[in-house]
Each structure stands twice: as C-alpha cells, then as structure tokens.
Amino acid sequence: MTKHSLPAPPSVTDVNLVELDEDDTRIEQSVLEAIIPEHDAGQRLDKVLAALFPQYSRSRLQQWCDAGMVRMGTQVAGVRDKARAGDLLRVTVPALPEDTAFAPEDLPLDVVFEDTLLAVLNKPAGLVVHPAAGNWSGTLLNGLLARYPETAGLPRAGIVHRLDKDTSGLMVTARTLEAQTELVRRLQARTIHRQYLALAWGRVERPFNVDAPIARHPRDRLRMAVVQGGKPARTDFTPLAELDTPWGPLTALRCKLHSGRTHQIRVHLQFAKLELVADPVYGGRARPDLPLQRQALHAARLGFRHPASDAPIECIAPIPDDIAALWNVCGGAPDEIDPKRWPMFTG
C-alpha cells in the first residue's frame, strides 16, 4: 500500500531551525505554527493539536507537550490545558533518527563488479542493508547513496534483494530504474542464481531439498516459519564435507535458492532438523569457545545476465575469515568449502 503524507492545514506554517548540540553536531528542527480556531476554544490542548497537526500521532504530540516543546501564546502549554481561541500555537518538532535515514554516508563498500547500470557488492556480516528501527544510519543503503548519488531517485536506492544483518556475501544493486526493474523481474523469474555456504551442526550424507512455504511465525513476529498457506519456497542443499568435532558432527552445505523468502535458508535448515552454527533465532546453540559468533551463512556465488547486454555475469565472494577460522579449528581443509569449486550459472 502506498503511503501518502497528509497535507498540513491551511493555517499551519513550517519553519526550519538549526541548533547545535553538545558535540556541535548540527541538528535540524522545525517549528509548526497554527492559530487556534474559535470552535476549539475550551478543548483539551492535545485534542486540538491532533486536529491541527494530523501528520503526527496524538501520543507523539503529547510527548512533545510533556517535554515543554509546545507553546500557546507566550507560555509553555501542557496536554490538559484548555485551548484559547486566537492564540498562536508553536510546536518545536525535534529531528528524529528516521528523518535522516536516507542520507548519504561515506561507508567502505566492497565492490566486486560495477558499471553504469548496476553494482555487485560483497556485504560484510554485521552491516544492515536497509534503515529500520534501531538502525536508522550506517546501513548499506546509506553507503550506496554516497557512492552512487543517482540512486537517490530509485526505490530503496536501487537495492534488488537483501541479506540478513549477520549474513555476509554477494548482493546485486541497480543504478538506474530500468536496470532495477529488469533485475527484480529476473529475480522473480528465478534467473538470478544464488548459492550460499552454510555450516550446520548435524550429519548430512546426501543432497536433499526443502520445498515448504514460508510465512511470518504465528506466535513470534520476529521470526519466520514453515506455514501452510505461506509463500512457496524451495532450497537445495548439497553436503560438501563433514567433520567430527568435540561439539558433534559439523557439515558444510552448499545451498541453492529457488526463491527468496525472508530467512529462507535458516528456516529450511531448522525444518530439516539441522542447526545453523551460531543462529540462536532458529535453534543454533551458542558456543562461546568457537571463533564464530554470528550465523554461519555466506552468499558465496551470484550469477545472472546483464540487464542491458544480456552477457553472463558470475561473481564469487571468498569465504570470510570468521567462517574459515571455524572450519579450520574443527579440522577442515580450506578447499572443502572453497566456492570456486562449485558449479555456477553458465547462461
């Protein structure tokens, strides 16, 4: 559903102010002004504020009253004060973190491939892809806006698909609307090929696939789950190597996506009774004595055809040091999990 901002009432003016905080950081604020109409005389002020400034929730307006940021005439006003017809209301609106969520930030980006239409990036673990509650800055999107200013006019700054915060690896992003539209179409048509490395506790003797629909967990809104009536999802799993460790059997898996649901590999591994290493959300046991403290999932290979030339593009992201260290500590050899040895998209 497309969201539309509500227009301000005709009597409201919006004046921008700039102040300095204790660290001399420039914080942009705005002041809303409105004359209290005759028909609102005697009403509780929070009710009048909600009617005059409908673009803000009543609870937020009440918070600003409590913080002394609302004046009626020359006096600071409270939520229970009675509105006086003809008085000028002034509301100082503080800058909110989400207001600057789409600001460019000069972040280091590991660019694997780029041209005038698109870029393929190797995202490190710990980097959030898109601004959201708790992560309004320092995201991949902020970095894209700085490196490719033209993406400011694109949905999600050209992001075509996402990776979880603690999943590392390859992502393709667009630099033009035409490229983004075509790449999204190809993603939906399953002609963008993605292969991941996963390290899971458990023993896997032969390839298998999980073809099970995924939707929001019925009781935990922060998780996904296999749910009847959810969106179709299929993942192919191929064992690469298995190690016997002091913590139990550990298997390296090549995971091929046939769809792109949220947390798909993690949910399908749990459904298959396997524990992705260091993924407590989906059953991975915490092992503080191991060198990996984030989910052992890496988007290692990406293949697709260029949206303009149709030439095949194949990218490989080396296994990150923390995953490689875990495999080494458990007695594995580097070539056992090397994505250069995997089959790839050939067009």
Side-chain angles (χ1 to χ4, degrees), residues 101-308:
F102 291 83
E105 295 182 46
D106 188 13
L107 304 176
L109 298 178
D110 183 1
V111 179
V112 177
F113 172 90
E114 68 178 352
D115 63 13
T116 58
L117 299 183
L118 60 90
V120 177
L121 310 173
N122 181 17
K123 185 189 85 68
L127 178 63
V128 174
V129 170
H130 194 277
N135 295 284
W136 293 118
S137 63
T139 70
L140 179 70
L141 181 144
N142 299 116
L144 288 173
L145 289 171
R147 185 179 179 99
Y148 309 114
E150 67 274 17
T151 62
L154 304 182
R156 303 174 304 281
I159 293 171
V160 174
H161 61 103
R162 302 186 189 186
L163 293 176
D164 298 335
K165 174 184 176 181
D166 289 327
T167 296
S168 54
L170 297 170
M171 293 178 54
V172 59
T173 67
R175 298 179 62 182
T176 70
L177 182 59
E178 293 78 12
Q180 186 178 25
T181 301
E182 179 60 20
L183 288 168
V184 169
R185 186 191 69 79
R186 295 186 184 196
L187 188 71
Q188 294 170 341
R190 302 180 184 177
T191 58
I192 294 181
H193 303 269
R194 292 171 288 165
Q195 297 185 76
Y196 292 65
L197 172 70
L199 302 185
W201 299 114
R203 202 177 299 278
V204 181
E205 297 180 353
R206 61 181 62 88
F208 68 97
N209 70 73
V210 176
D211 194 342
I214 292 176
R216 188 71 58 185
H217 194 285
R219 292 180 299 278
D220 185 348
R221 305 305 295 172
L222 298 179
R223 300 170 59 199
M224 308 299 287
V226 171
V227 176
Q228 292 302 317
K231 294 182 179 180
R234 174 181 167 177
T235 312
D236 295 342
F237 296 95
T238 302
L240 301 172
E242 182 185 304
L243 304 176
D244 288 315
T245 79
W247 306 276
L250 177 67
T251 301
L253 295 162
R254 176 169 58 87
C255 314
K256 182 178 180 181
L257 291 179
H258 291 272
S259 48
R261 310 305 174 203
T262 301
H263 299 176
Q264 178 173 321
I265 292 175
R266 301 164 67 188
V267 171
H268 278 174
L269 280 172
Q270 183 187 49
F271 186 73
K273 311 300 184 188
L274 294 168
E275 293 184 8
L276 182 66
V277 172
D279 182 10
V281 175
Y282 293 99
R285 290 164 289 177
R287 301 184 186 276
D289 52 336
L290 291 179
L292 184 70
Q293 298 302 312
R294 57 95 174 184
Q295 62 208 32
L297 190 59
H298 176 65
R301 298 199 67 151
L302 177 70
F304 59 96
R305 287 191 172 275
H306 194 279

